[in-house]
Every structure is written in structure tokens, then in C-alpha cells.
Amino acid sequence: MEPAPGPQEKYQLITRNLQEVLGEEKLMSILKERELKIYWGTATTGKPHVAYFVPMSKIADFLKAGCEVTILFADLHAYLDNMKAPWELLELRTRYYEQVIKAMLESIGVPLEKLTFVRGTDYQLSKEYTLDVYRLSSVVTQHDAKKAGAEVVKQVEHPLLSGLLYPGLQALDEEYLKVDAQFGGVDQRKIFTFAEKYLPSLGYAKRVHLMNPMVPGLTGSKMSSSEEDSKIDLLDRKEDVKKKLKKAFCEPGNVENNGVLSFIKHVLFPLKSEFVVLREEKWGGNKTYTAYEALEKDFAEQVVHPGDLKNSVEVALNKLLDPIREKFNCPELKKLSSAAYPTPSKAKPGEKGSKNSEPEDVIPSRLDIRVGKVISVEKHPDADSLYVEKIDVGEAEPRTVVSGLVHFVPKEQLQDRLVVLLCNLKPQKMRGVESQGMVLCASSVGEPRQVEPLDPPAGCCAGERVYVEGYEGGEPDEELKPKKKVFEKLQADFCISEDCVAQWKQRNFLTKLGTVSCKSLRGGSIS
């Protein structure tokens, strides 16, 4: 038998790959006296995806370090967060989460008997807990409650009171679960500092807080249940995994916002302590890495090709997903999955959604708008006013896009610049060349007409989602049907503000790094 790790070894295991620890001294003093008690909570909202392997991997580290680990299925939180989980589906989604999280842990070899599983509603509806919610609400300011939830609670134009309660409940969970520490993503930091500030005012101890970095999704932004292309579902078929990885953002030599590399660093390496890049003999054959830093260095120096990296992750990921798929292949869990996450039913004639009913919602989230990088620009061979561009939008291959910008933007100003591209228009031929998207531009109102391509915020990566404020959670249509004229209806309310910010009905176009703008065409239109 291996000797039990000492306090320093436990500390290293607990904190490896974390972005930040609040309360390091307290953590070490506890480890010198006894085992650490820690909890990780997950709100039972959208379907868990492969990014959930990141906290699962850390839970494995905590158990290796001898910690007593509690997993909280935060069902009440799921309802409070802008009703992300409708009340009638809450029980079903909580049961789904319990089954899928346990299946994930089993697939990476975590013994379930060493874990404690708790539902929020098991104790959050008790008299004592409810009284503490009231006590907390009497000392917490509205400003602090709103600030604490800013990174976690869904932000909408008319926020509900429930969103202000959310941070307080999460703080009280630390006391009622009788833990020393809470573990979560760095997006939880404001809630953690909120808990450190307010729990002592109720006579409760300040806890240690452990934070994982936010792992980029496949598109280069945060992996999210609400962004289909950014995540791989735990029950996706192997062909779907291949398809999504093929489209994943993985620019040669670029290690920033690279979701494929991040998955290797935060999931595959901690589980196996090595990673094998699979490649043909003519490209050097398979290579085994025992340190992530060496793999990242080789990728940065383009010794490892993105295609080989994706193929290798595909093989490793499917090994993790196979036992989960097998478990959920039984009739009982298939029924649970479809009941917890029902697909919208097709309406009968005369009902809402049918041909004879009211028109479907025309909202900005139906548009697949992304940041693109112009790789090349050439004059159209058969049209003097058109450019043919190759634009990288984070997919395996750049898209061909035809734009009528020759008379407005010099070729050298387009080359290598970031643009904003509408990606789900139906491809159409323009003078013999098929265009697979539309570069969105600001246009002046008067004559002479001026045109400027919209500018994403500095630092954006190709493939990042562009959304309209308040509509960040919806799924874009796979392809906009020309007869429905969805884009045309939305475009009627596109405009440039007096601050040169792109807007729809006075709501800003955004990426995770800020607003989309143009250089000078105040009050213009967008086309």
C-alpha cells in the first residue's frame, strides 16, 4: 500500500490546476489537523455536457487527498435562476442530473461510496434555513446581492427578485452542509466573496473557496448548455462527437481560448497523467506526452497538427463517454431523459406553431452571428464590385464569402482583419461563386453612401458567438429559410447608435469581450 499523503501533498493535489484559492492559510491549517470537508454544487438546469468532466476530475483529486466530498444538486437554485428549470420539470431534471453525474464519476473511476449526494430541497425548505434566508436578507444590500450574482445568474432586462436571493442561498449552503470549503468555477468568485463577507454577520464561519478556471468551449468561448456548437453532450453519438470536434476552434499554433487543448489539460491529463497524440507513421507516428506543458509547447511550435490533436481527443473522449452511453441505453433512463428535456412537439393544424397559427417568434438569437478572421481577399473573376473572401469562423475549413465591398473598403484593409459574419443564411451563388455567409457592415444614411465592416472587440477569436444583449441563451436556426425572411425582419431594427455601437432595438450587439461597433457611421443602418 502507498503511504497516505501528508498535508503538503494533499494541498498540492487539492489545488493543482486551480485558478485561485481564497483562504490558503486556513486550508493548510485544516489539512495539518484533519481531512478537509468540501462541497461542489450544480444547478439542475440544462443538460450536463463534457465540460462537466472538469469538476469531476477535480473531485477525483479531492478524494485522492482524503477529502470528505459532498455533491449538491441545487434544484431550488435552478428554479430561482430566472426559472431556467420550470417547476414542473424540477424533479425530473434533478433525477437526470443524479444519474448522469454518477455515470460520469464512474466512467473516470471515482468510487461513489466515498461521496455524499444531497438535493437542495432536502434542507433548503426547512424552518431553520428559511429563517436564515430572512436574517441574511435583513443585512445584505440589493447592490451586493445583484453584484454577487452578475456572473452566474442569467442577466435579463427585467430581473426577477429570485435572482437576488440566489447568492444568499449559495452562501448559506456552506453552513448547512457543514463544510470547510466550497469548490466551483472562477465565475462564482463574486458569490464566494459575498459569502465570506456576510456569513460572519450571522455568526457563521468564513469558508475556504477553491476556483477552477473557465474552460473554453469548442467555439473558443465558454462551453455552455445553451450554445449547441460550443459543447458535446454526454449522450452524443460518436459521429456527432467527430462532427463537433471537426468544427472546433483549434487554430495552428494558437494556445489561447483553445477548447481542445484545455480539455486535455483539465480532464485527460489529470485522469491518466499522460496523453497520446495519434498520427500516421509518415508524420512521425504516435507520441506520448507525460507533461501537459510539453504538449502545449509542441502545439505552439506547430509540431503537433490540429487535426491529429482533435482525432486523439476524439478517441480519448469516446472512451469516457462509452460507459455513460451504455448506462443510458436502458428504457428507464431513455424515458427519464426525454421527460426531463422534452423536445417541442409539432403542433396540429390550427394550434400555435402550425401553418394556420400565429407566426413563430422572430428574435435575434435565431441568427448565427460569429466573429470571423479574413484569411484572403480576391476580386471576383466576373464582377468588378465584388470581393471573394476566405473567412475563418472557427470551423475546420474557412468559409467562402462574396461581399459587395470593392467600392467601399480597400482590399488591404480587409486582409487579416476581424469581421462579424452571419453564418446561417442559406448558401447562394453570386455570379457563379457560392457565398457561405454575409459580412455585416454599417452603412451611412445619406449620400454619398459610406460602408464600414462591423468591428468585434479587440482580442476576440475567430468563431466566437456574437449575440444581442438579453438574447444570449437561445439556439440559432441551423439554416434560415429564405421564405420566412427572419433576417430581413430583424434587420429592419438594426442600427448604429450615436456611440457607434451596433444595436437591435436599442440592445447592443455583444461578444464576451464587449460591444460590437463601427468606426464612424453614427446613426447608420446595418446590412
Side-chain angles (χ1 to χ4, degrees), residues 355-424:
K355 288 183 180 179
N356 301 327
S357 71
E358 298 173 10
E360 57 195 333
D361 287 341
V362 179
I363 53 176
S365 54
R366 294 182 63 182
L367 304 180
D368 181 5
I369 306 177
R370 302 184 220 166
V371 175
K373 183 176 181 180
V374 180
I375 305 300
S376 67
V377 189
E378 301 295 339
K379 282 276 194 78
H380 192 295
D382 299 316
D384 292 340
S385 63
L386 301 178
Y387 285 131
V388 178
E389 303 122 2
K390 294 287 186 182
I391 301 180
D392 178 8
V393 288
E395 297 170 342
E397 299 293 333
R399 292 195 180 204
T400 300
V401 178
V402 180
S403 303
L405 295 174
V406 170
H407 300 313
F408 303 103
V409 185
K411 178 179 173 181
E412 58 271 15
Q413 287 185 18
L414 277 177
Q415 181 68 45
D416 296 324
R417 75 172 284 161
L418 292 179
V419 294
V420 175
L421 194 74
L422 178 60
C423 294
N424 59 343

